[in-house]
Structure formats: C-alpha cells, structure tokens
Amino acid sequence: MRKSHPVRRAVLAGAATVSGIVLLLSLKPASDPGAAQAAGGQLPPAAAGQAPQGGVNGAVTGDAAQTQYGPVQVRVTMANGQITKAEAVQTPKGGQSDQITANAVPRLNQAAVAAQSADIDAVSGATYTSAGYKKSLQSALDKAKASAGAAQGGDAGAGAGTARTVTGDVAQTQYGPVQVRITVADGKITKAEAVQAPKGGRSDQITSSSVPRLNQAAVATGTAQIDSVSGATYTSAGYKKSLQSALDKAPAGGGSAQAAGSGGGREQTGTRTLTGSVAQTQYGPVQVRVTLTDGKVTKAEAVQAPKGGRSDQITSSSVPRLNQAAVATGTAQIDSVSGATYTSAGYKKSLQSALDQAGG
C-alpha cells in the first residue's frame, strides 16, 4: 500500500484542527447576555433596570417637552415594571427636522428600552430632540412610579407611607415655560421644585427670588391655592398651573388638595381628576382634564383650547360636543367635530394622555 505524502498529511491535520476550533467556538451558551436584546431593543422581564418596579402595566405618556424646533413627547409601554416599548408621539416636523427625527427617534426608542431609564446618550446631530426626548421620557417614568407607589400603598394599607414623585404639565408663560415636580408622602406634599422656569436676562433674577418661595408655599399649604410672589406674576401663575396639574395626576387620596373636605367615604376614594398633556395644534394648544369615578369618565373639560378670531367660535361650538362624547364613550375613540378638525385631533390626543395616566 502506498504511503501518504508527508505534505498531504500535514495539510489534512491542519484542516482537522481548524474545523475543531470552529466547532468549539460555535457552541456558545444559549444564555449569552448579548442575546437578551432583540432587534427592537426588547429586554426580558427579569432584566435589571431603573424603570419603576412593582408590576406597573400599560401605557404611560410623558409630558410634552418644548424644544427649539418643536415639542417632543414620549409614550412608554410597561409590563411588570419594565419598559417594553418606547415611542415618540410628538416630534419636531418640517424641513431638516423630518430627517433628523427619522434618524434619531428610533435610536432613542431603542436606548430607552435597553437602559430602562431616561439616562441615555444623546444622538449625534440631534441634540435638541434628544434632550426633549429624555425630558419627556423622565416624565413618563415619574408618572409610572407614582402609579406604582399608589398601588403598593393600597395593598399595604393605611400607614404604608409610600413616597411618590409626580411632574406637572408644562405651563407656558409670557417669559418662558414653568414646570413643577412634587414629592407626595402620606397624602402630603413633602417637596416641591420647579424643573423648568423662565431664563435669561432679568428672568434669572426673578426666578431665583420667586421659585424658592413658591416651593415653600406649595409644601406649606399642600395645594395650588398659594399666593403669587410680588414682581413675579407670570412665573407664579405658571407655577400654580403646573402644580395643580401635578396634584391632579397624584392618585386619589394622595394629595391634600383632593382630600380636603372629604369625609373619608367610599365615593371620594373612587373619584380622581387627571389632566392630559398639552397637544399642540395649528391654531393653538389643546389640553383636556377628566374626572373618573369608579374607573368611568364622569366629566371632561378642555382647560386649554385655541383662542382668538374665528377660533373662539369653533372652540365654543366643538368643545362641549367633544366633552359630551368623551363622557359617553369613556375613551378617546370619539368622532371629530365637523369644521373643527385640528381642535378635535388635539382634544383626542390630550384625552388619550389623561386616560393613559389612569391606566386605561
């Protein structure tokens, strides 16, 4: 029998060795952490993160964050306290903004799910959109945290002392936006702070003087019925408006303003008021506030609507019909009013935001 050539034997041996190494490398464990993130940025429920824990489920819409190029507003879907989906329901539009948004938002959505928090990197070339996205995302997580705290407090019974943080809607003033965040514990405001306030020029001095006094008054009274600071009329008005919005979002029984006058009866504990985020339209902002009793919409009202010129007539005609439809259906799936397309669209968007906060 003819012997194999030495060179052929060496080649065959080398090929066998390479094949063995490739085979071993292909046998990676199925539990590779990198496999936990799917194409859409999804994480398994057991993944650790900074999203509110405690079994939060459903969609939560953050407040609209105003940027130099337009509003940004984020909605997150939660399952067992984890972010399973993030989406921008409002983004800057028109011109170059369309291209920037199309490129940046999907990456920000994916980052939010991966990080399970608002502590995500800005997308290069989309600084303003990224900042607005993170701000609205943080607002959504604050609302989810408040909802989780309320649920835990209800399970634990009286005296649980669960603290929760609620961020009010942005209140636009003549000199800039004002937005208030409060911490509520045992049904009382324990901390109040302005996360947005007018800036630049003389506004810096007015803000630094008035905001600490407004924060102190909010904690002292536990309501939005506080005195305006002399010389800071617009800032005070915006502060009180955003503070009231935060109190509206606090679960029933969680804010002393809602508890005032209550005899502790069953009817009071089943009623709460929620204010939706501001929906920007071509003719002005629309914002809806709803009252829910035992999970049903019993009252709806527009706290902001387009004003001036023909808008006054359209608003006075359409808003009462939209309010009535919201109560009748109990959802944001209502028909637009003929001749009030933009107002109707804004109304439904803000109404949906309010219902998101209620968990429905």
Side-chain angles (χ1 to χ4, degrees), residues 28 40 44 74 81 120 171 176 231 236 273 298 325:
K28 290 177 67 178
V74 179
I120 57 179
S236 298
T273 302
T298 55

Side-chain angles (χ1 to χ4, degrees), residues 44 61 127 147 198 208 237 245-246 267 271 311 331 339 344 351 353 356:
T61 304
T127 306
S147 177
S208 63
S245 168
E267 187 174 347
T271 301
S311 291
T331 73
S344 298
L351 173 58
S353 168
D356 286 343

Side-chain angles (χ1 to χ4, degrees), residues 55-77:
V56 179
N57 292 285
V60 184
T61 304
D63 296 327
Q66 300 297 330
T67 76
Q68 185 173 327
Y69 297 101
V72 180
Q73 188 172 30
V74 179
R75 177 179 296 158
V76 294
T77 302

Side-chain angles (χ1 to χ4, degrees), residues 257-299:
Q258 293 178 354
S262 169
R266 295 179 183 177
E267 187 174 347
Q268 178 66 21
T269 59
T271 301
R272 53 181 171 162
T273 302
L274 301 168
T275 304
S277 302
V278 176
Q280 298 294 337
T281 76
Q282 186 172 331
Y283 297 101
V286 179
Q287 188 175 31
V288 180
R289 178 178 294 158
V290 295
T291 301
L292 291 95
T293 302
D294 297 330
K296 295 182 180 180
V297 179
T298 55
K299 182 180 178 183

Side-chain angles (χ1 to χ4, degrees), residues 5-291:
H5 195 281
V7 174
R8 181 179 295 175
R9 287 201 303 271
V11 170
L12 291 173
T17 302
V18 171
S19 299
I21 292 172
V22 171
L23 186 60
L24 286 171
L25 289 175
S26 67
L27 297 176
K28 290 177 67 178
S31 59
D32 180 5
Q37 296 188 19
Q42 302 290 332
L43 289 178
Q50 298 177 24
Q53 302 300 307
V56 179
N57 292 285
V60 184
T61 304
D63 296 327
Q66 300 297 330
T67 76
Q68 185 173 327
Y69 297 101
V72 180
Q73 188 172 30
V74 179
R75 177 179 296 158
V76 294
T77 302
M78 314 283 291
N80 297 321
Q82 296 288 314
I83 302 173
T84 59
K85 181 181 179 182
E87 57 185 322
V89 294
Q90 282 195 76
T91 55
K93 295 180 181 178
Q96 193 183 353
S97 291
D98 291 336
Q99 182 180 349
I100 293 173
T101 293
N103 174 55
V105 168
R107 295 164 66 181
L108 292 166
N109 291 339
Q110 188 174 10
V113 176
Q116 293 292 300
S117 77
D119 187 16
I120 57 179
D121 292 333
V123 173
S124 179
T127 306
Y128 292 102
T129 297
S130 298
Y133 186 101
K134 292 193 282 184
K135 191 167 193 176
S136 183
L137 174 57
Q138 184 61 59
S139 167
L141 294 176
D142 286 342
K143 294 175 184 179
K145 184 177 179 181
S147 177
Q152 291 172 355
D155 292 340
T162 303
R164 52 195 177 276
T165 303
V166 187
T167 304
D169 295 328
V170 176
Q172 298 295 337
T173 76
Q174 186 173 328
Y175 296 102
V178 180
Q179 187 175 31
V180 179
R181 179 177 296 157
I182 58 174
T183 301
V184 180
D186 294 325
K188 296 181 179 179
I189 300 175
T190 57
K191 182 181 179 182
E193 56 184 325
V195 293
Q196 284 195 74
K199 295 179 181 179
R202 190 159 173 267
S203 291
D204 291 334
Q205 182 181 351
I206 294 174
T207 293
S208 63
S209 170
S210 62
V211 167
R213 295 164 65 181
L214 292 166
N215 291 339
Q216 188 176 12
V219 174
T221 65
T223 75
Q225 304 304 311
I226 56 179
D227 293 333
S228 297
V229 174
S230 178
T233 305
Y234 291 103
T235 298
S236 298
Y239 186 102
K240 291 191 281 185
K241 189 171 187 177
S242 184
L243 173 58
Q244 183 60 59
S245 168
L247 290 172
D248 287 342
K249 295 173 185 179
S256 52
Q258 293 178 354
S262 169
R266 295 179 183 177
E267 187 174 347
Q268 178 66 21
T269 59
T271 301
R272 53 181 171 162
T273 302
L274 301 168
T275 304
S277 302
V278 176
Q280 298 294 337
T281 76
Q282 186 172 331
Y283 297 101
V286 179
Q287 188 175 31
V288 180
R289 178 178 294 158
V290 295
T291 301

